[in-house]
Amino acid sequence: MSNRSLLVLPDDSGKPILDAINAATKNLRIKMFIFSDPDLIAAVIAAQKRGVKVQVMLNPARRDGEEENVATRAALEGADIEVKDSNPEFGITHEKSMVVDDETAFVKSLNWATKNLTLTRDYAIVTSHKHEVDEIIAGFEADWNRKDFDPGENAHLIWCRGNGRQRIARLIDGAKHTLFVQNERYQDAVIIERLVRAAMRGVKVHVMAIPPHSLKKEKLVEGVGGLRIMDDVGIKINKLKNLKLHGKMILADGCRAIIGSINLAPGSFDDRRELAIEVHDDEIVERLHQVAKHDWENSHPLDLSDEGLFADLEDRKEGSSEKLVLNVHENHDNEDKKA
């Protein structure tokens, strides 16, 4: 019987992923942005040694040229595992997926890095629905063989490049009561506008983001700008305590959700290979609602005032106050004159 299930990290640990790899009998297809966790590397090598056909596609480098998969690639190739760079058609392959024995697929926000299994809020959907599994296999085979992949207007899953922006906008547009949004980056004008319109029509929008100092300096203007636009219309924007936010999750009205690798940024929609899935299974959305409420209760508001941004950024990213045209010094000068 086909079903879907939810993994919440770090609560559920990496054990369900390891168990799936250890249970594989025919094949494993793995597409990953960062793959460095030693236990997962060992499990994949063990699968190859017991006769499972293993194919691994790794993103070769970040935009800044940093290569994080070199050692893993060497270890896998040393065990006679087929490894390829991800499709060069995309600036980056940010998709994190695995298909086991052509029957079960994992669609994840988490990289296979130890910190994403132990220190970050992350998510994965496990599906055995044939139409979803087959679509992920088709996407993998197309990228592996450097062929075009277009699942069409009736795609079951959410792909970038492709239908990502439209599907996420549609979920937001359909919300009537509540939206819980967890994402690292809020930079896409279309999605920001949709969230603003949702708030203006009375939807209670809860946005969870990473603090501005965590953004790359070249992304500060659009990243902070997106947060401040939402803040200006009364959308609550909080930062998670204790855990680092890495998951990409949107929950609408406690009944529909999207989980996957997609950051809410133009680059993710238009230039990267990304994958997400929309779910409405009662048990999954109920647990997501519980996690979203827990995380909100264990978070605090981001201070997006000029003073708050200056305090958050200046010691970590010198020159940020000028880049963002913050009026901190001017305000302090005016206060000194009044005194």
Side-chain angles (χ1 to χ4, degrees):
M1 181 178 176
S2 299
N3 59 25
R4 299 185 191 95
S5 59
L6 170 69
L7 301 181
V8 179
L9 280 300
D11 307 42
D12 297 336
S13 79
K15 186 176 183 300
I17 301 172
L18 284 168
D19 288 347
I21 296 170
N22 292 334
T25 59
K26 294 189 301 183
N27 52 55
L28 288 169
R29 293 180 179 88
I30 299 163
K31 195 188 297 186
M32 197 58 55
F33 180 59
I34 299 173
F35 183 2
S36 59
D37 181 75
D39 291 340
L40 289 169
I41 293 170
V44 170
I45 290 174
Q48 169 77 8
K49 288 181 176 179
R50 67 174 182 270
V52 175
K53 179 181 178 181
V54 180
Q55 295 169 285
V56 179
M57 212 178 315
L58 298 174
N59 186 70
R62 292 181 181 265
R63 287 189 184 280
D64 62 7
E66 182 181 2
E67 298 178 346
E68 297 172 283
N69 293 317
V70 174
T72 298
R73 179 171 189 149
L76 297 177
E77 289 180 336
D80 296 324
I81 291 174
E82 290 186 272
V83 184
K84 279 190 179 183
D85 285 346
S86 51
N87 193 341
E89 174 68 17
F90 303 94
I92 283 175
T93 288
H94 196 236
E95 175 184 343
K96 306 101 165 32
S97 66
M98 176 175 70
V99 181
V100 181
D101 291 342
D102 300 332
E103 295 177 351
T104 305
F106 288 66
V107 179
K108 306 183 287 292
S109 68
L110 64 139
N111 294 301
W112 279 7
T114 305
K115 68 178 181 180
N116 292 128
L117 299 167
T118 58
L119 299 175
T120 65
R121 170 62 77 224
D122 264 302
Y123 301 95
I125 295 292
V126 187
T127 178
S128 61
H129 285 264
K130 188 176 188 306
H131 55 281
E132 294 169 347
V133 175
D134 287 350
E135 194 169 293
I136 296 171
I137 292 173
F140 184 97
E141 293 298 320
D143 285 348
W144 185 266
N145 295 299
R146 309 306 196 233
K147 294 182 178 179
D148 290 338
F149 173 64
D150 181 8
E153 294 182 2
N154 298 317
H156 300 288
L157 302 170
I158 303 171
W159 296 92
C160 299
R161 298 187 297 255
N163 61 358
R165 185 180 280 112
Q166 295 91 331
R167 288 284 298 272
I168 290 175
R170 190 170 74 191
L171 182 77
I172 295 169
D173 290 347
K176 294 181 173 61
H177 307 293
T178 60
L179 278 167
F180 282 94
V181 188
Q182 294 185 347
N183 207 284
E184 290 180 288
R185 294 163 56 191
Y186 297 82
Q187 297 165 351
D188 188 75
V190 172
I191 300 303
I192 291 167
E193 178 205 22
R194 289 315 214 283
L195 291 169
V196 167
R197 289 189 176 203
M200 293 179 69
R201 68 174 181 267
V203 177
K204 292 182 179 178
V205 182
H206 300 77
V207 166
M208 192 162 285
I210 60 175
H213 74 257
S214 298
L215 295 168
K216 293 183 178 179
K217 194 168 184 178
E218 64 270 19
K219 298 295 184 181
L220 271 177
V221 171
E222 56 188 345
V224 171
L227 293 175
R228 293 184 98 176
I229 287 169
M230 293 188 289
D231 184 61
D232 285 345
V233 298
I235 292 175
K236 296 179 178 179
I237 303 173
N238 280 20
K239 172 190 178 296
L240 187 62
K241 294 178 184 177
N242 302 321
L243 290 175
K244 180 181 178 182
L245 177 64
H246 183 260
K248 299 93 173 66
M249 185 274 287
I250 306 176
L251 176 64
D253 296 331
C255 63
R256 302 191 74 84
I258 290 175
I259 284 174
S261 67
I262 303 172
N263 283 309
L264 303 179
S268 290
F269 291 123
D270 301 326
D271 188 49
R272 295 183 173 195
R273 167 64 84 211
E274 307 270 13
L275 175 62
I277 185 170
E278 183 172 343
V279 295
H280 52 80
D281 312 67
D282 290 343
E283 290 185 2
I284 291 177
V285 294
E286 182 179 346
R287 188 177 181 204
L288 282 174
H289 190 247
Q290 292 172 353
V291 172
K293 285 184 65 178
H294 172 273
D295 285 353
W296 193 258
E297 291 166 359
N298 290 276
S299 66
H300 57 79
L302 280 177
D303 185 351
L304 295 169
S305 67
D306 281 5
E307 291 80 3
L309 287 169
F310 185 87
D312 179 68
L313 288 167
E314 197 58 27
D315 289 342
R316 300 175 176 92
K317 287 183 168 60
E318 186 178 353
S320 297
S321 59
E322 288 81 7
K323 193 175 182 71
L324 293 172
V325 198
L326 301 179
N327 294 317
V328 176
H329 297 302
E330 180 181 331
N331 291 341
H332 287 170
D333 290 343
N334 289 338
E335 289 173 7
D336 291 340
K337 288 177 183 177
K338 290 177 183 178

